[in-house]
Amino acid sequence: MLQKKELPKLSEGFARITCCQSESDVQSAVDAYSGLGPLDTLPSGYFGQKNTSAKVQLGIMRFLKKTDESALKSVPDSNTSQITEEKETSSKGTGSLSENSGKESKEGEQLFVGSVGGDVSLNYSPTLAFPSISTADFQFDIEKASDIIVEKVIEFVNKLGNARLVLVDLSHKSKILSLVRAKASEKNIDSNKFFTFVGDITRLHSGGGLHCNVIANAANWRLKPGGGGVNAAIFSAGGPSLELATKEQAQSLYPGSAVVVTLPSTSPLFSREGVTHVIHVVGPNMNPHRPNCLNYDYSKGCKVLREAYTSLFEGFATILRTQAKSPKGSIENLQAKLPESQEHSDGASRNHFTNSDQKTKREDPHKYERSKRSKAYQDDTEDSNTGKPNLSNKSGGSRTKSWGSWAQALYNTAMHPEKHKDAVLEISDDVVVLNDLYPKAKRHVLVVARCEGLDRLSDVHKEHLPLLRTMHEVGLKWVEKFLHDDSSLVFRLGYHLDPSMRQLHLHVISQDFDSTYLKNKKHWNSFNTAFFRDSMDVVEEVSSDGKAKLKEDDSMLSMELRCHRCRSAHPNIPRLKSHITNCRATFPSTLLQNGRLVHAPSNVSIGP
């Protein structure tokens, strides 16, 4: 919004308008829009307009640094206001670090469910500390959330042996803690196995004397720092090593899912608090200002929240099982039991932990999300029937990928096409063909392999060469069909370096990119950078080298937007789309070689 310009109106063609009255409003809007993913939506309408006579939005002006210093000083700091709000609002979960966390934690020791049998601060039982999921910024009904928490605790608490579950919030006035305490007491839940605690979830040991080897993070779908609240606090406290370890485990999560991340010994949460694992979990959203809002559909919302807690507690159970199997004195058990005062007592022990941690990363047993919806995804390293190593995946590529439950759709369709007859275009012994659910062009289909153990390109070896050729031939057959209907189309066939959906699949996509589903930079660059590997190149590499050349680089998806024909740069997707609609430049020479582009015979020049 520029100075001396009137506020926009929905009647002028805008689908959604968000007015910002302060810097925190601006930050909230930036977080909301930057967090939008391929499947995310925000409701339409006019939001945040408090003064109908206003001409200029103060928050926007400050954001653009157009106001003078006096105006800037009149607006409270966004981080300070957010921390204050989270301390004072009883319904919010754990927020950023609090100066009074130690004091509040002492009060929290008197807030356990039922009677306390012993000194909790001296108890070294494996412990999961978790915030109330979705009841803060995602505005889920606290009464309903408390019912689900107690329900899921009852389901899991006796399956966890001597381990403990601890619901944590920053304020001793928290309504969610009060409700859960009361309901848990009515159900006679063992207070030694489940209780509530007041304190900062990132300083439970140093600030409140509570030893928790595992903490849960109410994460965003991108598994990135930021956004305020628990997520920002945990990523900040965990340091760069937590972000790196998270990135190695998963790139994103769908609501209702969780992923376990082993903390490197270099993380401050490990060295200061004794936390060995962080479990990221994403819950349902009822906030219209945040992505994927369920619009108060609590039938669906409660289902997703139950799945979220199931995924969380199953993840914790997985950690317990792994530690139980680990030899005495192993890194897993040492991380779970070593007090802060005994950690890294000398340089030798520090090096030992660092080296062992690197080994743990390679052999991390917590590689899949523990969600009911993803139980069909067996551990690639072991045969589910014999318990012996599964040698079908020699590269181990898929072992480092955590597939969300939503990412199982292609796998399920490929393995059981008879259950998805309405979606499948073609079925054979080797492949199934189906339309991309969110096509990025006029014609966009997927040729999906029907072979167990082939999740992505890194799983492909020379023995899979006949399958790759079959997939390419099937893709060409569909190109021929599409060209018969519209000879002006041009196609590419290829694979994504790091696909978001499990099960090897070939994209057959027309180069018009005329689609409402093509919305952001990631969408465009996933098909127009080296992130997209042409099918013919993959076939040649596997034939000669036994595997495809994979140089994964996250920066490819964030590169500037360039036209796939003339390579001109554009500032945003609307500008790019407007350009490519009229661009008739010849395709780059690299695409004109090796059969990378497929077109009708008469369209030889593929240019003006």
Side-chain angles (χ1 to χ4, degrees):
M1 187 63 59
L2 300 177
Q3 198 168 9
K4 297 182 181 179
K5 297 291 184 179
E6 292 184 2
L7 294 174
K9 301 178 180 63
L10 291 173
S11 59
E12 295 175 335
F14 296 100
R16 177 185 172 93
I17 299 172
T18 301
C19 293
C20 299
Q21 310 298 330
S22 66
E23 178 66 10
S24 61
D25 290 350
V26 174
Q27 189 58 52
S28 296
V30 172
D31 291 342
Y33 285 98
S34 62
L36 288 174
L39 308 182
D40 298 332
T41 59
L42 286 173
S44 302
Y46 214 119
F47 299 90
Q49 186 178 16
K50 297 178 181 179
N51 183 2
T52 56
S53 62
K55 297 296 182 182
V56 179
Q57 300 178 53
L58 176 60
I60 291 293
M61 297 309 299
R62 183 185 179 203
F63 182 67
L64 296 176
K65 298 182 179 179
K66 297 293 185 180
T67 56
D68 56 24
E69 290 299 322
S70 60
L72 290 177
K73 292 179 181 178
S74 67
V75 183
D77 181 75
S78 60
N79 293 330
T80 303
S81 63
Q82 183 166 343
I83 294 173
T84 303
E85 179 183 359
E86 288 174 351
K87 285 184 182 179
E88 295 178 352
T89 304
S90 61
S91 64
K92 290 188 180 293
T94 307
S96 302
L97 303 182
S98 166
E99 295 179 0
N100 299 321
S101 61
K103 178 180 178 181
E104 291 180 333
S105 297
K106 291 180 181 178
E107 296 176 5
E109 293 179 7
Q110 302 175 3
L111 298 176
F112 306 139
V113 175
S115 60
V116 180
D119 187 349
V120 174
S121 65
L122 298 179
N123 192 332
Y124 284 87
S125 298
T127 303
L128 166 66
F130 64 96
S132 175
I133 301 169
S134 293
T135 54
D137 194 36
F138 284 169
Q139 299 179 5
F140 200 93
D141 181 84
I142 296 176
E143 187 74 38
K144 291 181 173 62
S146 62
D147 287 336
I148 293 173
I149 291 173
V150 174
E151 171 193 327
K152 286 300 173 181
V153 166
I154 292 173
E155 179 182 337
F156 278 90
V157 72
N158 292 323
K159 300 178 182 179
L160 302 177
N162 67 333
R164 306 178 301 176
L165 302 174
V166 184
L167 177 64
V168 178
D169 205 345
L170 195 63
S171 171
H172 67 277
K173 299 179 181 179
S174 168
K175 291 182 180 179
I176 190 69
L177 291 191
S178 300
L179 287 170
V180 169
R181 282 197 301 272
K183 293 175 181 180
S185 180
E186 291 175 2
K187 299 294 184 179
N188 296 316
I189 299 177
D190 187 347
S191 61
N192 289 315
K193 292 187 175 182
F194 174 63
F195 53 90
T196 64
F197 197 86
V198 174
D200 186 333
I201 200 169
T202 66
R203 302 189 67 88
L204 293 176
H205 171 50
S206 61
L210 180 63
H211 294 275
C212 298
N213 60 307
V214 184
I215 61 173
N217 175 33
N220 55 51
W221 74 273
R222 300 167 65 196
L223 297 179
K224 296 288 187 181
V230 179
N231 186 64
I234 289 179
F235 269 108
S236 176
S241 55
L242 171 58
E243 187 174 356
L244 180 60
T246 299
K247 185 177 179 180
E248 291 177 353
Q249 282 298 97
Q251 298 293 328
S252 62
L253 277 184
Y254 200 73
S257 301
V259 63
V260 177
V261 175
T262 302
L263 266 183
S265 59
T266 53
S267 171
L269 277 176
F270 178 96
S271 59
R272 185 188 69 232
E273 304 298 325
V275 176
T276 63
H277 298 80
V278 173
I279 304 178
H280 299 295
V281 58
V282 179
N285 174 40
M286 294 296 176
N287 184 348
H289 296 283
R290 292 288 180 264
N292 293 329
C293 178
L294 296 179
N295 296 318
Y296 304 103
D297 180 356
Y298 275 99
S299 176
K300 183 176 181 180
C302 288
K303 178 183 177 183
V304 174
L305 189 58
R306 287 188 178 91
E307 291 172 347
Y309 279 110
T310 296
S311 301
L312 171 60
F313 294 155
E314 284 184 346
F316 183 45
T318 305
I319 295 171
L320 298 178
R321 288 193 294 270
T322 302
Q323 292 176 346
K325 294 178 181 178
S326 299
K328 187 175 181 180
S330 68
I331 183 67
E332 288 284 350
N333 284 324
L334 282 171
Q335 285 180 327
K337 298 179 180 178
L338 194 64
E340 179 185 3
S341 60
Q342 297 178 8
E343 291 182 32
H344 311 317
S345 57
D346 54 46
S349 64
R350 181 181 294 273
N351 291 333
H352 166 74
F353 270 83
T354 303
N355 294 335
S356 299
D357 184 64
Q358 295 303 320
K359 182 178 181 182
T360 302
K361 284 183 182 179
R362 292 191 296 271
E363 300 176 358
D364 187 1
H366 314 297
K367 49 183 123 9
Y368 306 124
E369 298 173 48
R370 303 300 174 183
S371 168
K372 284 184 177 179
R373 295 179 295 171
S374 60
K375 282 186 176 178
Y377 195 6
Q378 297 290 338
D379 190 332
D380 289 11
T381 63
E382 186 174 279
D383 186 276
S384 59
N385 296 320
T386 65
K388 296 179 180 179
N390 183 347
L391 302 179
S392 63
N393 184 353
K394 297 180 181 179
S395 71
S398 63
R399 297 176 196 163
T400 61
K401 178 80 172 183
S402 180
W403 302 99
S405 55
W406 62 275
Q408 304 290 332
L410 292 183
Y411 171 83
N412 293 333
T413 302
M415 296 301 111
H416 305 284
E418 69 281 356
K419 297 180 181 180
H420 307 275
K421 292 182 179 179
D422 293 340
V424 175
L425 301 175
E426 177 183 341
I427 304 174
S428 70
D429 292 339
D430 298 314
V431 301
V432 296
V433 181
L434 59 157
N435 284 310
D436 192 294
L437 188 59
Y438 299 96
K440 302 303 186 292
K442 287 182 179 179
R443 294 288 184 267
H444 187 181
V445 299
L446 306 177
V447 181
V448 188
R450 299 190 64 194
C451 179
E452 287 280 5
L454 281 185
D455 289 342
R456 52 183 180 169
L457 275 182
S458 58
D459 300 328
V460 172
H461 296 279
K462 201 159 190 174
E463 60 265 31
H464 301 119
L465 190 57
L467 175 61
L468 293 180
R469 287 173 173 158
T470 296
M471 294 174 70
H472 187 80
E473 290 170 1
V474 172
L476 288 178
K477 184 182 72 174
W478 280 89
V479 168
E480 183 179 355
K481 172 181 172 57
F482 293 142
L483 289 177
H484 182 269
D485 297 334
D486 186 351
S487 61
S488 67
L489 296 176
V490 179
F491 287 85
R492 281 183 78 184
L493 288 71
Y495 304 87
H496 283 153
L497 276 180
D498 187 15
S500 57
M501 301 288 286
R502 179 192 177 197
Q503 197 62 17
L504 183 70
H505 54 280
L506 174 71
H507 290 268
V508 179
I509 184 169
S510 59
Q511 297 300 286
D512 51 89
F513 294 104
D514 182 6
S515 170
T516 57
Y517 294 110
L518 200 156
K519 299 178 179 179
N520 57 45
K521 183 178 289 187
K522 181 178 179 180
H523 291 166
W524 177 261
N525 285 334
S526 66
F527 289 98
N528 291 285
T529 65
F531 189 86
F532 189 80
R533 295 301 322 280
D534 287 278
S535 176
M536 287 299 298
D537 294 339
V538 170
V539 169
E540 287 185 0
E541 290 165 4
V542 174
S543 178
S544 60
D545 304 329
K547 61 181 180 180
K549 296 178 182 178
L550 305 177
K551 295 182 180 180
E552 295 185 21
D553 183 357
D554 289 344
S555 64
M556 287 189 288
L557 296 181
S558 58
M559 292 172 64
E560 63 182 344
L561 296 168
R562 286 190 172 274
C563 174
H564 60 315
R565 283 177 172 264
C566 67
R567 305 304 297 163
S568 59
H570 300 272
N572 52 48
I573 287 293
R575 291 278 189 90
L576 176 64
K577 282 188 170 183
S578 176
H579 167 81
I580 63 177
T581 300
N582 301 306
C583 183
R584 294 295 179 269
T586 302
F587 281 88
S589 58
T590 53
L591 291 182
L592 295 176
Q593 302 168 1
N594 201 30
R596 296 184 180 97
L597 291 180
V598 185
H599 51 85
S602 60
N603 192 14
V604 176
S605 65
I606 322 179

